[in-house]
Amino acid sequence: MSKLRFNITMTLDGYVAGPNQSVENGLGEGGERMHDWVVPLKTFREIHGDEGGGETGTNDDVLRESFENIGATIMGRNMFGPDRGPWGDEPWKGWWGDTPPFHTPVFVLTHHAREPLVMKGGTTFFFVTDGIESALEQAKEAAGGKDVSLGGGASVAQQYLAAGLLNEMELHVVPLLLGGGERLLDNLGSGVKLEPLRTVEGPGVTHLKYRVVEKGASGTDGQRADPPKV
Amino acid sequence: MSKLRFNITMTLDGYVAGPNQSVENGLGEGGERMHDWVVPLKTFREIHGDEGGGETGTNDDVLRESFENIGATIMGRNMFGPDRGPWGDEPWKGWWGDTPPFHTPVFVLTHHAREPLVMKGGTTFFFVTDGIESALEQAKEAAGGKDVSLGGGASVAQQYLAAGLLNEMELHVVPLLLGGGERLLDNLGSGVKLEPLRTVEGPGVTHLKYRVVEKGASGTDGQRADPPKV
């Protein structure tokens, strides 16, 4: 069965982006350092179109696995770009240039309709305005039996976790504190049940992989606010 | 050189105690589940005076190591007990009965002076009112060349981390979300620098051990509030 899989780099204090995200600083202040472990890797270079070179080893094996058997991608608009509200006359085309590193159909959750955007290298951005379940249905259809990758960010991941729609989550935990920004595992109460699948220790990062075995926001402070209108 | 070492069980969403801690529920709502991994262990049973039985294996090895070469313990008053303010006529004697599991001198940080409290099994509680540096000096003196264990909770750990006085930190990460309570790595900004020492995967818990290589609260939101007067 096609699974929804999520992997993301998280600091030890739980952040997946630093404070004050902007066009110049898409991962927020201090956020770029989170990705020091991934940028030199062979697989990272390959998906970004840099053939040849790059590090192999444990971290590369984990990263490569995260792209295996992925047929479609879902992300929130906050991950797609820094702007908010209506798209305007010269709409944002993503952080990633002409050839984004997804190489699959990408379903972007937004409250503002927009025509699909065809990029090079197999990525087409589709803009989904009718919610996370619809996006997942469309993504599974597009994936043709393969798995769907949830790209992020934190808010969208929380929505899929709370709805019980996420099947696997791998956190690449880096030994940094950011002290502010977007915290991944907030707004979820105590209702999400996880089962450890494996731990892999790589240079400068620990990979913690879980199966999500039970859904749902619960507990005294588990009521999620409405998702932001972006 | 004598080190200050800290180990604590933390949920994947960063909590070391659940919400609404009380006399009946010292670890807060849902907090007891955090310790499911540790309670059955041979070492845990031994330090609590239950001779014979208990599980051995990876988790027990990690737990046993955390008690090795420890000559004194430091903890905050929040960890010592649920009451606050002056001690009163029948003061709290700790959560742990007549024979606490520390078996060393224990220095309790508080704003309210009190005579030392001698318990069975080698534990004596000393109440320190002149701050974390003084407590560490007294603990190192008492430890006689061995290391000092920082017992917790979150607030005291944050103070030692921010002051650059903690040398090693091991987090026993359990696959639970609590959604509220005391978060360990809050109020620290981005200034604390950690270096991974090792990762150990045990049944139901992953042990992440770090060396603290640089001190300090920093960054835009790194200003700590004054420690609570407890």
Side-chain angles (χ1 to χ4, degrees), chain A residues 154-182:
Chain A
S155 164
V156 169
Q158 287 162 20
Q159 292 172 54
Y160 278 102
L161 271 167
L165 296 172
L166 190 62
N167 302 111
E168 281 183 15
M169 176 167 73
E170 182 157 29
L171 304 177
H172 313 294
V173 179
V174 289
L176 292 174
L177 304 190
L178 279 178
E182 271 197 272

Side-chain angles (χ1 to χ4, degrees), chain A residues 10 12-13 29 33 169 171 175 177-180 183 185-186 188-190 192-194 196 198-199 201 206 208 210 220-221, chain B residues 10 12-13 29 33 169 171 175 177-180 183 185-186 188-190 192-194 196 198-199 201 206 208 210 220-221:
Chain A
M10 185 176 93
L12 197 60
D13 58 348
E29 292 167 10
R33 290 184 298 143
M169 176 167 73
L171 304 177
L177 304 190
L178 279 178
R183 227 163 190 164
L185 297 171
D186 265 343
L188 287 165
S190 58
V192 176
K193 302 283 184 265
L194 303 167
R198 67 144 194 234
T199 298
E201 181 177 15
T206 302
L208 306 178
Y210 299 92
T220 47
D221 52 349
Chain B
M10 184 176 93
L12 196 60
D13 58 347
E29 291 166 11
R33 291 184 298 144
M169 175 166 72
L171 304 178
L177 305 190
L178 278 177
R183 227 164 190 162
L185 297 172
D186 264 343
L188 286 165
S190 58
V192 176
K193 302 282 184 263
L194 303 167
R198 67 144 195 235
T199 298
E201 181 177 16
T206 302
L208 305 178
Y210 299 92
T220 47
D221 52 351

Side-chain angles (χ1 to χ4, degrees), chain A residues 25-42:
Chain A
N25 217 342
L27 286 168
E29 292 167 10
E32 289 292 342
R33 290 184 298 143
M34 286 195 304
H35 290 168
D36 286 350
W37 73 274
V38 73
V39 172
L41 300 180
K42 180 172 163 63

Side-chain angles (χ1 to χ4, degrees), chain A residues 11-217:
Chain A
T11 63
L12 197 60
D13 58 348
Y15 293 97
V16 295
N20 303 316
Q21 289 173 272
S22 64
V23 175
E24 295 74 28
N25 217 342
L27 286 168
E29 292 167 10
E32 289 292 342
R33 290 184 298 143
M34 286 195 304
H35 290 168
D36 286 350
W37 73 274
V38 73
V39 172
L41 300 180
K42 180 172 163 63
T43 299
F44 184 86
R45 293 172 59 95
E46 283 175 5
I47 61 168
H48 287 84
D50 299 327
E51 290 297 336
E55 296 173 10
T56 56
T58 305
N59 287 341
D60 194 60
D61 292 344
V62 170
L63 184 67
R64 184 171 301 269
E65 186 192 77
S66 75
F67 289 102
E68 282 170 1
N69 197 39
I70 294 296
T73 306
I74 296 173
M75 67 176 63
R77 180 168 174 184
N78 285 10
M79 184 172 167
F80 178 70
D83 58 341
R84 305 287 177 265
W87 291 104
D89 293 334
E90 291 192 25
W92 181 262
K93 293 183 173 180
W95 293 102
W96 305 278
D98 291 340
T99 313
F102 305 104
H103 311 293
T104 68
V106 176
F107 297 84
V108 179
L109 286 154
T110 170
H111 290 270
H112 300 276
R114 177 172 168 183
E115 289 299 305
L117 176 63
V118 181
M119 311 296 286
K120 293 180 184 167
T123 298
T124 296
F125 293 110
F126 296 92
F127 299 90
V128 179
T129 57
D130 53 352
I132 61 170
E133 299 199 14
S134 170
L136 182 56
E137 274 172 34
Q138 294 178 55
K140 286 198 172 178
E141 179 71 25
K146 291 186 174 182
D147 291 341
V148 176
S149 171
L150 182 59
S155 164
V156 169
Q158 287 162 20
Q159 292 172 54
Y160 278 102
L161 271 167
L165 296 172
L166 190 62
N167 302 111
E168 281 183 15
M169 176 167 73
E170 182 157 29
L171 304 177
H172 313 294
V173 179
V174 289
L176 292 174
L177 304 190
L178 279 178
E182 271 197 272
R183 227 163 190 164
L184 179 63
L185 297 171
D186 265 343
N187 309 310
L188 287 165
S190 58
V192 176
K193 302 283 184 265
L194 303 167
E195 181 186 299
L197 286 175
R198 67 144 194 234
T199 298
V200 176
E201 181 177 15
V205 56
T206 302
H207 312 279
L208 306 178
K209 194 170 183 177
Y210 299 92
R211 181 183 295 127
V212 188
V213 291
E214 200 171 313
K215 79 167 188 176

